[in-house]
Each structure stands twice: as C-alpha cells, then as structure tokens.
Amino acid sequence: MSAQTSRMSSRRAVAIGAGVVAVAALLGVVSYTATKPDTSARVATGDSSVAEVSADPQAGVYPELAKLARRDGADPLAVGRADAPVVMVEYADFKCGYCGKFARDTEPGLVEKYVKNGTLRIEWRNYPIFGEESEAAARAGWAAGQQGRFWEFHSAAYAEGSKEKGFGTGRLDALAREAGVKDLDRFRRDRAGDAAAAAVRKDQEEAYGLGATSTPSFLINGRPIAGAQPEETFTQAIESAKTAAESAPEAAPEAEKGGKAGVSGEGEQ
C-alpha cells in the first residue's frame, strides 16, 4: 500500500458514518466485483460478471448512500437537473479503461434517454487510483470544469485510444484545447492549485469511505453498481429508482434551484 493510499484510508470515516461503512464492507464483497483490482497494484482485471437489479424498487437500496448525492445546481462536474428524481453518482478514473468503455458505450444513451427529460442527474466524482497521471488528469478535469468545459474534457480524455497517450503536462494542455477551454493559463493555474487538490481529495475520501475498490463504481439513488455494466443494468436501476421516488413524493430530497438539464453540449459524452 502506498503512503498516499495509507493516508487516504485513515480518513475514510470523515464523510460517512460508521453505519454506512458497515454496509459498505458488505458491498465490497458482494457488489464491487465487476472490476476487481489486483490488491498489490490496484489494477482492474475486468471480471465479466453482470450486476442483477431486483424488480423490487427498494431491494439493494441503502438510504444513507442516497444522501451522498450533492444536488448542487452549480456543480460543473454534474449534468442534469438538481431536483431530478434519480441521481447517479459515478466514481471514476480517467486512466481506467472500463470507465472509458462506460463513457463511450453506455453513458451517452443514459443522457439521451433520461438526463434530457429530467429524470436523471449524473454527478461525477474523481477517484484517481492509478497513480500520478490519474491524479493529474483528475485535477485537470476539475480545472476544465471551472471554465464550464468538464464534460467536453471528459469526452476528449475518454475517446478511443486517448488514455494510451498518457496524461502528462503537454497532453493535458492538448485535451483542454480539444475541450474548448479558452483560458489555458487559468486552466494550468487551476489544475495546480490547492482548490483542485482539495476537490479531488474530497471525492477520493468519499469513495474510500464507501469501500469502493475499483473503478467505475456507481450509486443510483443509494443502489451500488460496480463496473462498466451493460446499459440494461443501468436502465433497470434508473427505472426502479424513478418508480420508488414517484411512490414517495413526500420523501423527495430538497435540491437547489437552477439545476441545469445539461451542461454545454447538452451533456455530450
């Protein structure tokens, strides 16, 4: 275990109570199996298991985990209305091949079908687990978001063959240009600043607190899903969460007004 991982592990319970951590310990065995990491190198193996979603809207849902949805209408790393009935929190790494597969093959369909009609909100969490370049890419994505271009950076970073080019300094600048970031000097300052480091650290601590051991990992209204599952797995979970939310309108979470139906480009992935 690296020194950084050790430090992060010691802070796992900062944002999440002991009860949720106990639930997460179970989920770490049962649910987070689709991209099991090598424990010595934290490298996903890509187990092909498919998550099953029960027809019961409450099965496999943990209300405490649902509270991790931030629903901040000004969050540039989120797409969809802040008051959407369903929130999918996505913990991902730009160097993760399975995250890229989800971004290219599955997420665009979810945006088209559910985000644009106001049903779904997607909240990105930076969870860099593959070393220094992962961390650098996470900070760069956050910096692009400060100029309203996170999702364009996301698309560029997850394009086919992109991660093989690495995420060195020059490459991050190139991705920012491709994403349409206008002020590159500000982008460089932002990605190197304390605010970027703090934002990424906050997301990491949240994921560690959940017991998420691989990327991508998801929460859909408190239901955990691991790995780049088939689109059907996500649509079933979203439909189930929507049904549950509609049957209990009095329990709908308060959300900030002004949540966007999409960011620039209508959330194109």
Side-chain angles (χ1 to χ4, degrees), residues 224-253:
I225 294 176
Q229 298 287 340
E231 186 169 345
E232 181 181 3
T233 296
F234 291 95
T235 58
Q236 288 176 349
I238 292 166
E239 292 288 352
S240 181
K242 179 184 177 184
T243 297
E246 290 175 344
S247 66
E250 71 282 356

PDB file of all heavy atoms in Angstrom, residues 224-253:
ATOM      1  N   PRO A 224     -25.832   0.496  -5.082  1.00  0.00           N
ATOM      2  CA  PRO A 224     -24.490   0.385  -5.653  1.00  0.00           C
ATOM      3  C   PRO A 224     -24.453  -0.527  -6.870  1.00  0.00           C
ATOM      4  O   PRO A 224     -25.107  -1.574  -6.905  1.00  0.00           O
ATOM      5  CB  PRO A 224     -23.666  -0.201  -4.503  1.00  0.00           C
ATOM      6  CG  PRO A 224     -24.650  -0.974  -3.699  1.00  0.00           C
ATOM      7  CD  PRO A 224     -25.977  -0.258  -3.828  1.00  0.00           C
ATOM      8  N   ILE A 225     -23.707  -0.092  -7.871  1.00  0.00           N
ATOM      9  CA  ILE A 225     -23.454  -0.896  -9.071  1.00  0.00           C
ATOM     10  C   ILE A 225     -21.969  -0.772  -9.386  1.00  0.00           C
ATOM     11  O   ILE A 225     -21.416   0.323  -9.346  1.00  0.00           O
ATOM     12  CB  ILE A 225     -24.297  -0.424 -10.271  1.00  0.00           C
ATOM     13  CG1 ILE A 225     -25.782  -0.657 -10.002  1.00  0.00           C
ATOM     14  CG2 ILE A 225     -23.868  -1.130 -11.556  1.00  0.00           C
ATOM     15  CD1 ILE A 225     -26.695  -0.135 -11.108  1.00  0.00           C
ATOM     16  N   ALA A 226     -21.334  -1.879  -9.683  1.00  0.00           N
ATOM     17  CA  ALA A 226     -19.901  -1.856  -9.948  1.00  0.00           C
ATOM     18  C   ALA A 226     -19.604  -2.184 -11.395  1.00  0.00           C
ATOM     19  O   ALA A 226     -20.219  -3.061 -11.995  1.00  0.00           O
ATOM     20  CB  ALA A 226     -19.174  -2.853  -9.046  1.00  0.00           C
ATOM     21  N   GLY A 227     -18.679  -1.452 -11.971  1.00  0.00           N
ATOM     22  CA  GLY A 227     -18.150  -1.788 -13.282  1.00  0.00           C
ATOM     23  C   GLY A 227     -18.933  -1.232 -14.454  1.00  0.00           C
ATOM     24  O   GLY A 227     -20.019  -0.673 -14.311  1.00  0.00           O
ATOM     25  N   ALA A 228     -18.349  -1.399 -15.635  1.00  0.00           N
ATOM     26  CA  ALA A 228     -18.973  -0.929 -16.872  1.00  0.00           C
ATOM     27  C   ALA A 228     -20.011  -1.956 -17.309  1.00  0.00           C
ATOM     28  O   ALA A 228     -19.829  -2.684 -18.287  1.00  0.00           O
ATOM     29  CB  ALA A 228     -17.918  -0.727 -17.955  1.00  0.00           C
ATOM     30  N   GLN A 229     -21.088  -2.022 -16.582  1.00  0.00           N
ATOM     31  CA  GLN A 229     -22.149  -2.990 -16.829  1.00  0.00           C
ATOM     32  C   GLN A 229     -22.885  -2.672 -18.135  1.00  0.00           C
ATOM     33  O   GLN A 229     -22.812  -1.549 -18.646  1.00  0.00           O
ATOM     34  CB  GLN A 229     -23.132  -2.970 -15.663  1.00  0.00           C
ATOM     35  CG  GLN A 229     -22.536  -3.359 -14.325  1.00  0.00           C
ATOM     36  CD  GLN A 229     -22.254  -4.848 -14.222  1.00  0.00           C
ATOM     37  OE1 GLN A 229     -22.822  -5.654 -14.962  1.00  0.00           O
ATOM     38  NE2 GLN A 229     -21.374  -5.211 -13.305  1.00  0.00           N
ATOM     39  N   PRO A 230     -23.639  -3.636 -18.665  1.00  0.00           N
ATOM     40  CA  PRO A 230     -24.456  -3.361 -19.851  1.00  0.00           C
ATOM     41  C   PRO A 230     -25.464  -2.254 -19.568  1.00  0.00           C
ATOM     42  O   PRO A 230     -25.885  -2.058 -18.423  1.00  0.00           O
ATOM     43  CB  PRO A 230     -25.169  -4.698 -20.110  1.00  0.00           C
ATOM     44  CG  PRO A 230     -24.304  -5.725 -19.450  1.00  0.00           C
ATOM     45  CD  PRO A 230     -23.725  -5.045 -18.243  1.00  0.00           C
ATOM     46  N   GLU A 231     -25.862  -1.561 -20.604  1.00  0.00           N
ATOM     47  CA  GLU A 231     -26.803  -0.448 -20.439  1.00  0.00           C
ATOM     48  C   GLU A 231     -28.080  -0.890 -19.747  1.00  0.00           C
ATOM     49  O   GLU A 231     -28.666  -0.142 -18.959  1.00  0.00           O
ATOM     50  CB  GLU A 231     -27.125   0.179 -21.792  1.00  0.00           C
ATOM     51  CG  GLU A 231     -27.986   1.427 -21.699  1.00  0.00           C
ATOM     52  CD  GLU A 231     -28.079   2.176 -23.018  1.00  0.00           C
ATOM     53  OE1 GLU A 231     -27.264   1.912 -23.921  1.00  0.00           O
ATOM     54  OE2 GLU A 231     -28.982   3.026 -23.137  1.00  0.00           O
ATOM     55  N   GLU A 232     -28.500  -2.121 -19.991  1.00  0.00           N
ATOM     56  CA  GLU A 232     -29.739  -2.613 -19.393  1.00  0.00           C
ATOM     57  C   GLU A 232     -29.681  -2.589 -17.870  1.00  0.00           C
ATOM     58  O   GLU A 232     -30.692  -2.311 -17.202  1.00  0.00           O
ATOM     59  CB  GLU A 232     -30.024  -4.040 -19.876  1.00  0.00           C
ATOM     60  CG  GLU A 232     -31.317  -4.626 -19.323  1.00  0.00           C
ATOM     61  CD  GLU A 232     -31.553  -6.049 -19.809  1.00  0.00           C
ATOM     62  OE1 GLU A 232     -30.691  -6.592 -20.525  1.00  0.00           O
ATOM     63  OE2 GLU A 232     -32.601  -6.615 -19.452  1.00  0.00           O
ATOM     64  N   THR A 233     -28.512  -2.885 -17.298  1.00  0.00           N
ATOM     65  CA  THR A 233     -28.371  -2.858 -15.842  1.00  0.00           C
ATOM     66  C   THR A 233     -28.675  -1.465 -15.304  1.00  0.00           C
ATOM     67  O   THR A 233     -29.374  -1.297 -14.297  1.00  0.00           O
ATOM     68  CB  THR A 233     -26.952  -3.282 -15.430  1.00  0.00           C
ATOM     69  OG1 THR A 233     -26.732  -4.636 -15.825  1.00  0.00           O
ATOM     70  CG2 THR A 233     -26.746  -3.151 -13.927  1.00  0.00           C
ATOM     71  N   PHE A 234     -28.162  -0.439 -15.999  1.00  0.00           N
ATOM     72  CA  PHE A 234     -28.376   0.936 -15.551  1.00  0.00           C
ATOM     73  C   PHE A 234     -29.813   1.381 -15.788  1.00  0.00           C
ATOM     74  O   PHE A 234     -30.403   2.054 -14.936  1.00  0.00           O
ATOM     75  CB  PHE A 234     -27.393   1.870 -16.255  1.00  0.00           C
ATOM     76  CG  PHE A 234     -25.977   1.663 -15.813  1.00  0.00           C
ATOM     77  CD1 PHE A 234     -25.127   0.833 -16.528  1.00  0.00           C
ATOM     78  CD2 PHE A 234     -25.496   2.274 -14.664  1.00  0.00           C
ATOM     79  CE1 PHE A 234     -23.831   0.621 -16.108  1.00  0.00           C
ATOM     80  CE2 PHE A 234     -24.192   2.072 -14.241  1.00  0.00           C
ATOM     81  CZ  PHE A 234     -23.355   1.237 -14.961  1.00  0.00           C
ATOM     82  N   THR A 235     -30.384   1.014 -16.924  1.00  0.00           N
ATOM     83  CA  THR A 235     -31.767   1.427 -17.181  1.00  0.00           C
ATOM     84  C   THR A 235     -32.724   0.789 -16.182  1.00  0.00           C
ATOM     85  O   THR A 235     -33.669   1.438 -15.712  1.00  0.00           O
ATOM     86  CB  THR A 235     -32.195   1.078 -18.617  1.00  0.00           C
ATOM     87  OG1 THR A 235     -32.067  -0.324 -18.844  1.00  0.00           O
ATOM     88  CG2 THR A 235     -31.348   1.825 -19.633  1.00  0.00           C
ATOM     89  N   GLN A 236     -32.476  -0.469 -15.817  1.00  0.00           N
ATOM     90  CA  GLN A 236     -33.329  -1.121 -14.824  1.00  0.00           C
ATOM     91  C   GLN A 236     -33.227  -0.412 -13.480  1.00  0.00           C
ATOM     92  O   GLN A 236     -34.234  -0.187 -12.803  1.00  0.00           O
ATOM     93  CB  GLN A 236     -32.935  -2.591 -14.682  1.00  0.00           C
ATOM     94  CG  GLN A 236     -33.332  -3.456 -15.859  1.00  0.00           C
ATOM     95  CD  GLN A 236     -32.840  -4.890 -15.718  1.00  0.00           C
ATOM     96  OE1 GLN A 236     -32.026  -5.203 -14.849  1.00  0.00           O
ATOM     97  NE2 GLN A 236     -33.333  -5.765 -16.577  1.00  0.00           N
ATOM     98  N   ALA A 237     -31.996  -0.058 -13.088  1.00  0.00           N
ATOM     99  CA  ALA A 237     -31.798   0.613 -11.806  1.00  0.00           C
ATOM    100  C   ALA A 237     -32.428   2.003 -11.816  1.00  0.00           C
ATOM    101  O   ALA A 237     -33.026   2.432 -10.815  1.00  0.00           O
ATOM    102  CB  ALA A 237     -30.312   0.706 -11.495  1.00  0.00           C
ATOM    103  N   ILE A 238     -32.298   2.713 -12.926  1.00  0.00           N
ATOM    104  CA  ILE A 238     -32.883   4.055 -13.031  1.00  0.00           C
ATOM    105  C   ILE A 238     -34.405   3.981 -13.000  1.00  0.00           C
ATOM    106  O   ILE A 238     -35.061   4.761 -12.297  1.00  0.00           O
ATOM    107  CB  ILE A 238     -32.380   4.758 -14.303  1.00  0.00           C
ATOM    108  CG1 ILE A 238     -30.883   5.059 -14.184  1.00  0.00           C
ATOM    109  CG2 ILE A 238     -33.169   6.047 -14.559  1.00  0.00           C
ATOM    110  CD1 ILE A 238     -30.224   5.439 -15.497  1.00  0.00           C
ATOM    111  N   GLU A 239     -34.965   3.049 -13.754  1.00  0.00           N
ATOM    112  CA  GLU A 239     -36.429   2.903 -13.766  1.00  0.00           C
ATOM    113  C   GLU A 239     -36.941   2.528 -12.383  1.00  0.00           C
ATOM    114  O   GLU A 239     -37.975   3.035 -11.925  1.00  0.00           O
ATOM    115  CB  GLU A 239     -36.838   1.847 -14.793  1.00  0.00           C
ATOM    116  CG  GLU A 239     -36.596   2.233 -16.241  1.00  0.00           C
ATOM    117  CD  GLU A 239     -37.560   3.302 -16.751  1.00  0.00           C
ATOM    118  OE1 GLU A 239     -38.525   3.640 -16.016  1.00  0.00           O
ATOM    119  OE2 GLU A 239     -37.354   3.796 -17.871  1.00  0.00           O
ATOM    120  N   SER A 240     -36.223   1.646 -11.706  1.00  0.00           N
ATOM    121  CA  SER A 240     -36.621   1.231 -10.370  1.00  0.00           C
ATOM    122  C   SER A 240     -36.556   2.402  -9.391  1.00  0.00           C
ATOM    123  O   SER A 240     -37.466   2.611  -8.577  1.00  0.00           O
ATOM    124  CB  SER A 240     -35.707   0.098  -9.892  1.00  0.00           C
ATOM    125  OG  SER A 240     -36.077  -0.357  -8.612  1.00  0.00           O
ATOM    126  N   ALA A 241     -35.478   3.192  -9.491  1.00  0.00           N
ATOM    127  CA  ALA A 241     -35.332   4.360  -8.612  1.00  0.00           C
ATOM    128  C   ALA A 241     -36.401   5.399  -8.906  1.00  0.00           C
ATOM    129  O   ALA A 241     -36.940   6.034  -7.987  1.00  0.00           O
ATOM    130  CB  ALA A 241     -33.938   4.960  -8.794  1.00  0.00           C
ATOM    131  N   LYS A 242     -36.735   5.571 -10.170  1.00  0.00           N
ATOM    132  CA  LYS A 242     -37.784   6.516 -10.550  1.00  0.00           C
ATOM    133  C   LYS A 242     -39.122   6.091  -9.963  1.00  0.00           C
ATOM    134  O   LYS A 242     -39.879   6.913  -9.420  1.00  0.00           O
ATOM    135  CB  LYS A 242     -37.878   6.603 -12.072  1.00  0.00           C
ATOM    136  CG  LYS A 242     -38.972   7.542 -12.572  1.00  0.00           C
ATOM    137  CD  LYS A 242     -39.062   7.486 -14.096  1.00  0.00           C
ATOM    138  CE  LYS A 242     -40.203   8.351 -14.603  1.00  0.00           C
ATOM    139  NZ  LYS A 242     -40.371   8.232 -16.077  1.00  0.00           N
ATOM    140  N   THR A 243     -39.438   4.796 -10.063  1.00  0.00           N
ATOM    141  CA  THR A 243     -40.689   4.269  -9.508  1.00  0.00           C
ATOM    142  C   THR A 243     -40.761   4.511  -8.010  1.00  0.00           C
ATOM    143  O   THR A 243     -41.790   4.937  -7.477  1.00  0.00           O
ATOM    144  CB  THR A 243     -40.804   2.762  -9.800  1.00  0.00           C
ATOM    145  OG1 THR A 243     -40.868   2.565 -11.217  1.00  0.00           O
ATOM    146  CG2 THR A 243     -42.047   2.170  -9.157  1.00  0.00           C
ATOM    147  N   ALA A 244     -39.656   4.244  -7.319  1.00  0.00           N
ATOM    148  CA  ALA A 244     -39.625   4.441  -5.871  1.00  0.00           C
ATOM    149  C   ALA A 244     -39.807   5.910  -5.510  1.00  0.00           C
ATOM    150  O   ALA A 244     -40.524   6.254  -4.564  1.00  0.00           O
ATOM    151  CB  ALA A 244     -38.313   3.904  -5.302  1.00  0.00           C
ATOM    152  N   ALA A 245     -39.158   6.794  -6.263  1.00  0.00           N
ATOM    153  CA  ALA A 245     -39.267   8.234  -5.985  1.00  0.00           C
ATOM    154  C   ALA A 245     -40.680   8.731  -6.224  1.00  0.00           C
ATOM    155  O   ALA A 245     -41.204   9.558  -5.463  1.00  0.00           O
ATOM    156  CB  ALA A 245     -38.275   8.998  -6.863  1.00  0.00           C
ATOM    157  N   GLU A 246     -41.322   8.232  -7.282  1.00  0.00           N
ATOM    158  CA  GLU A 246     -42.675   8.670  -7.603  1.00  0.00           C
ATOM    159  C   GLU A 246     -43.699   8.157  -6.601  1.00  0.00           C
ATOM    160  O   GLU A 246     -44.734   8.779  -6.381  1.00  0.00           O
ATOM    161  CB  GLU A 246     -43.046   8.208  -9.009  1.00  0.00           C
ATOM    162  CG  GLU A 246     -42.290   8.949 -10.105  1.00  0.00           C
ATOM    163  CD  GLU A 246     -42.572   8.406 -11.485  1.00  0.00           C
ATOM    164  OE1 GLU A 246     -43.105   7.269 -11.584  1.00  0.00           O
ATOM    165  OE2 GLU A 246     -42.249   9.086 -12.479  1.00  0.00           O
ATOM    166  N   SER A 247     -43.400   7.036  -5.965  1.00  0.00           N
ATOM    167  CA  SER A 247     -44.337   6.473  -4.999  1.00  0.00           C
ATOM    168  C   SER A 247     -44.186   7.097  -3.622  1.00  0.00           C
ATOM    169  O   SER A 247     -45.009   6.879  -2.744  1.00  0.00           O
ATOM    170  CB  SER A 247     -44.143   4.955  -4.891  1.00  0.00           C
ATOM    171  OG  SER A 247     -42.862   4.666  -4.338  1.00  0.00           O
ATOM    172  N   ALA A 248     -43.117   7.880  -3.439  1.00  0.00           N
ATOM    173  CA  ALA A 248     -42.890   8.534  -2.153  1.00  0.00           C
ATOM    174  C   ALA A 248     -42.489   9.981  -2.374  1.00  0.00           C
ATOM    175  O   ALA A 248     -41.394  10.390  -1.997  1.00  0.00           O
ATOM    176  CB  ALA A 248     -41.813   7.787  -1.371  1.00  0.00           C
ATOM    177  N   PRO A 249     -43.377  10.796  -2.998  1.00  0.00           N
ATOM    178  CA  PRO A 249     -43.015  12.182  -3.323  1.00  0.00           C
ATOM    179  C   PRO A 249     -42.693  13.020  -2.101  1.00  0.00           C
ATOM    180  O   PRO A 249     -41.903  13.955  -2.170  1.00  0.00           O
ATOM    181  CB  PRO A 249     -44.254  12.714  -4.044  1.00  0.00           C
ATOM    182  CG  PRO A 249     -45.374  11.835  -3.576  1.00  0.00           C
ATOM    183  CD  PRO A 249     -44.758  10.480  -3.397  1.00  0.00           C
ATOM    184  N   GLU A 250     -43.288  12.673  -0.964  1.00  0.00           N
ATOM    185  CA  GLU A 250     -43.030  13.466   0.239  1.00  0.00           C
ATOM    186  C   GLU A 250     -41.594  13.290   0.726  1.00  0.00           C
ATOM    187  O   GLU A 250     -41.080  14.094   1.497  1.00  0.00           O
ATOM    188  CB  GLU A 250     -43.998  13.060   1.368  1.00  0.00           C
ATOM    189  CG  GLU A 250     -43.738  11.687   1.979  1.00  0.00           C
ATOM    190  CD  GLU A 250     -44.254  10.538   1.120  1.00  0.00           C
ATOM    191  OE1 GLU A 250     -44.879  10.827   0.076  1.00  0.00           O
ATOM    192  OE2 GLU A 250     -44.032   9.370   1.488  1.00  0.00           O
ATOM    193  N   ALA A 251     -40.929  12.209   0.251  1.00  0.00           N
ATOM    194  CA  ALA A 251     -39.561  11.956   0.686  1.00  0.00           C
ATOM    195  C   ALA A 251     -38.541  12.484  -0.300  1.00  0.00           C
ATOM    196  O   ALA A 251     -37.356  12.281  -0.130  1.00  0.00           O
ATOM    197  CB  ALA A 251     -39.352  10.453   0.887  1.00  0.00           C
ATOM    198  N   ALA A 252     -39.023  13.156  -1.358  1.00  0.00           N
ATOM    199  CA  ALA A 252     -38.094  13.658  -2.369  1.00  0.00           C
ATOM    200  C   ALA A 252     -37.126  14.646  -1.744  1.00  0.00           C
ATOM    201  O   ALA A 252     -37.518  15.500  -0.954  1.00  0.00           O
ATOM    202  CB  ALA A 252     -38.861  14.347  -3.497  1.00  0.00           C
ATOM    203  N   PRO A 253     -35.811  14.528  -2.053  1.00  0.00           N
ATOM    204  CA  PRO A 253     -34.815  15.404  -1.442  1.00  0.00           C
ATOM    205  C   PRO A 253     -34.962  16.839  -1.907  1.00  0.00           C
ATOM    206  O   PRO A 253     -35.396  17.116  -3.020  1.00  0.00           O
ATOM    207  CB  PRO A 253     -33.492  14.809  -1.931  1.00  0.00           C
ATOM    208  CG  PRO A 253     -33.840  14.117  -3.196  1.00  0.00           C
ATOM    209  CD  PRO A 253     -35.224  13.593  -3.001  1.00  0.00           C
TER     210      PRO A 253
END
